[in-house]
Amino acid sequence: MLLAMLVGGALSVAGAGMQAVFGNPLAEPGITGVSAGAAVVAVALIVTGLVGATSWLLPVGAFVGAILATAVVQAVGYGRARTSTASLLLVGMALNAFLGAVTSGLIANADDAEDSRSAMFWLNGDLTGSTMADVGMVAVPILVGVAGVMYFGRELNMLALGEATAQSAGVNVRLVSNLVLGFAALAAAWSVAATGIIAFVGLVVPHLVRLLLGVDHTFLLPACFLLGGIFLTAADTAARMIFNPIVLQTGTLTALVGAPFLLYLVLRWRSPR
């Protein structure tokens, strides 16, 4: 439960921060390539057997992959994200496709079938077998990442009004954007390292919180952390019990919930106003 609260909260805050920076309601760690970047390095460590060398190697490697993916998305998609939402989505889709191909290639060529199976299980995301050691390993970097995003709540409010408005109010847009994305990547990467890829939490929860509390990020971000933790805890419980005796992985259930929600957002976006 502690791990679910930390990971769910971290992914939700990271998603809310990315949506504000990119000016894009569909941005979240999975769509923008952060999770895929972390996955490539993590899977490489698993299939090569290096992950057993030290417990810290997997999360550190996942963080490096996430940071690199964030840098690519920022460099290619950031400049046009505010004027063309499709540009950011296309950059994220292209990066996800490329990194997904690399990940598939690593798994297909794993020397040990058990390593390949472990990588596939990890990619679907699950909290089974989590211990207090896992919580202790990721708690500090996740909380640092979450606190870093929350620190810029007022600046994110300015960014939501437009880059020009934020600059006129004295916000260093480039610096704030880089820092928010870095902290979001830190929180998301360590979350992914602990549980595997948990999809759509960072997309669904921020929108639910906006419906309940509005768009003020000084309230939105803490609420995202709380509701995100509750959401993932409930999803993990449902994955274990709702289809009993069949047990689904947590990431599978969040994808089953999140994918229709994403489709709803796309259709709502395209509908006449």
Side-chain angles (χ1 to χ4, degrees):
M1 289 181 66
L2 288 173
L3 189 62
M5 289 294 296
L6 282 171
V7 171
L11 293 176
S12 301
V13 170
M18 288 180 175
Q19 288 164 14
V21 167
F22 289 118
N24 187 326
L26 301 182
E28 61 104 21
I31 291 177
T32 56
V34 175
S35 297
V40 168
V41 179
V43 168
L45 293 173
I46 292 173
V47 300
T48 57
L50 295 176
V51 71
T54 172
S55 60
W56 289 93
L57 186 58
L58 181 61
V60 170
F63 174 63
V64 171
I67 288 294
L68 292 176
T70 302
V72 171
V73 171
Q74 182 179 4
V76 180
Y78 176 79
R80 298 180 180 178
R82 297 185 183 278
T83 56
S84 174
T85 306
S87 65
L88 176 61
L89 295 179
L90 289 173
V91 171
M93 288 173 60
L95 186 62
N96 276 319
F98 176 78
L99 296 178
V102 174
T103 301
S104 297
L106 289 170
I107 294 174
N109 290 278
D111 294 331
D112 190 334
E114 188 60 31
D115 287 339
S116 179
R117 183 176 180 275
S118 297
M120 290 297 298
F121 188 86
W122 183 89
L123 285 173
N124 286 327
D126 197 71
L127 282 80
T128 301
S130 300
T131 66
M132 284 302 297
D134 298 313
V135 176
M137 180 178 66
V138 303
V140 171
I142 282 179
L143 292 176
V144 168
V146 167
V149 176
M150 289 184 180
Y151 178 79
F152 293 102
R154 295 179 65 182
E155 288 80 1
L156 292 177
N157 284 340
M158 292 293 101
L159 284 174
L161 299 176
E163 186 173 321
T165 301
Q167 287 178 335
S168 65
V171 177
N172 187 330
V173 174
R174 178 64 65 176
L175 177 61
V176 169
S177 297
N178 286 337
L179 289 174
V180 170
L181 289 177
F183 282 121
L186 173 65
W190 285 82
S191 298
V192 169
T195 63
I197 297 177
I198 305 290
F200 292 106
V201 175
L203 175 68
V204 174
V205 174
H207 286 285
L208 293 177
V209 175
R210 288 188 188 96
L211 291 174
L212 296 173
L213 298 179
V215 296
D216 185 349
H217 286 81
T218 57
F219 297 101
L220 173 70
L221 294 173
C224 279
F225 185 79
L226 178 60
L227 185 59
I230 295 172
F231 177 82
L232 189 57
T233 302
D236 182 58
T237 302
R240 298 169 188 270
M241 300 179 62
I242 196 170
F243 296 109
N244 189 48
I246 298 173
V247 177
L248 297 178
Q249 289 182 256
T250 311
T252 301
L253 188 61
T254 59
L256 290 174
V257 173
F261 187 80
L262 175 60
L263 180 60
Y264 162 75
L265 289 178
V266 172
L267 293 176
R268 180 184 177 187
W269 229 15
R270 294 177 57 187
S271 63
R273 302 192 180 193

